[in-house]
Amino acid sequence: MTSRVPVLLSSSSVFPERTAAAFQLAAALGYDGIEVMVWTDAVSQDSGALRGLAQHYGVPVLSVHAPCLLVTQRVWSPDPWERLRRSAELAEALEAPTVVVHPPFTWQRDYARNFRDGLGEIADRYPDLRFAVENMYPVRMAGRQFVPYVPGWDPTETGYPAYTLDLSHCAASHTDSLEMADRMGDALAHVHLGDGTGEGRDEHLVPGRGTQPCAEVLRSL
């Protein structure tokens, strides 16, 4: 039975296995759908291949994670706007309602300068999609901390129509995830349910194996 709030398996969770493995696993374990992480695996970029997997395993794609990681900066195009546009096209073709996107990196100056307005323009062209901006975290190296995102790692400080709450990122940023969820308010559209110990890195632990109040966040929603 599909839950009122669908529970998805991210294809990134099966790495280094390929995208197809996520569909097989999601079907076996009874997930409601898949979040496709668009990366260098050609299947993750191909709406026809993804639609075929969804039909074969009976597991729909319900979220598309745009290729905005460090390792996916050349997927589709070096232009971040083109990557976001193609992510929207992929989500639309798969009838997936959500596109997950990260705040711009500091070196993406033109992209960062117009990110909020440009995201709004793309959202206007794809009115059936939610572009959910994800909370990130500062990076700590050699006893120092820096923020690789503009204007920062916390999207609520800028304000967007939709957000993705990532609990592992809350742990890495030493942020109270319940307070973050409250700040996101009704604009909270999507949750990445992972855990972390607060050691300052992105751990994506199984819920319950870190210090994040995963159950409390779910109950609050």
Side-chain angles (χ1 to χ4, degrees):
M1 178 182 295
T2 300
S3 60
R4 185 175 62 85
V5 177
V7 178
L8 316 183
L9 178 68
S10 171
S11 64
S12 65
S13 67
V14 304
F15 183 84
E17 295 293 329
R18 297 288 181 169
T19 303
F23 285 87
Q24 182 179 18
L25 191 60
L29 296 178
Y31 279 84
D32 298 321
I34 288 284
E35 173 170 304
V36 170
M37 171 67 79
V38 180
W39 63 298
T40 54
D41 179 7
V43 170
S44 72
Q45 307 170 28
D46 187 325
S47 62
L50 292 168
R51 192 180 298 109
L53 286 167
Q55 292 172 348
H56 177 75
Y57 287 105
V59 182
V61 177
L62 297 177
S63 175
V64 170
H65 195 307
C68 44
L69 306 180
L70 276 175
V71 296
T72 58
Q73 294 298 292
R74 297 288 174 177
V75 170
W76 280 330
S77 169
D79 179 3
W81 287 120
E82 176 66 9
R83 295 199 299 273
L84 186 54
R85 184 188 65 78
R86 292 190 64 170
S87 297
E89 288 183 348
L90 181 64
E92 186 176 59
L94 295 168
E95 299 182 355
T98 303
V99 176
V100 177
V101 59
H102 291 181
F105 287 116
T106 53
W107 58 83
Q108 296 174 314
R109 295 180 181 177
D110 292 338
Y111 181 57
R113 188 178 300 114
N114 301 305
F115 180 67
R116 193 175 189 278
D117 291 342
L119 188 62
E121 291 174 3
I122 290 179
D124 288 342
R125 294 203 298 270
Y126 298 92
D128 293 332
L129 302 180
R130 297 172 299 187
F131 294 84
V133 184
E134 186 172 355
N135 63 296
M136 301 306 291
Y137 53 93
V139 175
R140 297 176 178 88
M141 296 180 63
R144 302 181 64 184
Q145 176 177 298
F146 68 97
V147 177
Y149 304 99
V150 176
W153 57 266
D154 181 356
T156 66
E157 293 182 353
T158 299
Y160 297 96
Y163 299 105
T164 294
L165 173 64
D166 189 304
L167 276 71
S168 176
H169 295 174
C170 286
S173 62
H174 297 169
T175 301
D176 186 316
S177 53
L178 285 165
E179 290 183 1
M180 177 67 76
D182 285 342
R183 290 202 298 275
M184 292 177 173
D186 291 341
L188 175 51
H190 194 67
V191 176
H192 284 166
L193 187 65
D195 212 337
T197 63
E199 292 185 351
R201 59 189 178 88
D202 189 13
E203 297 171 286
H204 284 291
L205 300 178
V206 172
R209 296 184 182 176
T211 59
Q212 286 299 295
C214 299
E216 291 86 344
V217 167
L218 291 182
R219 278 197 292 266
S220 76
L221 300 176

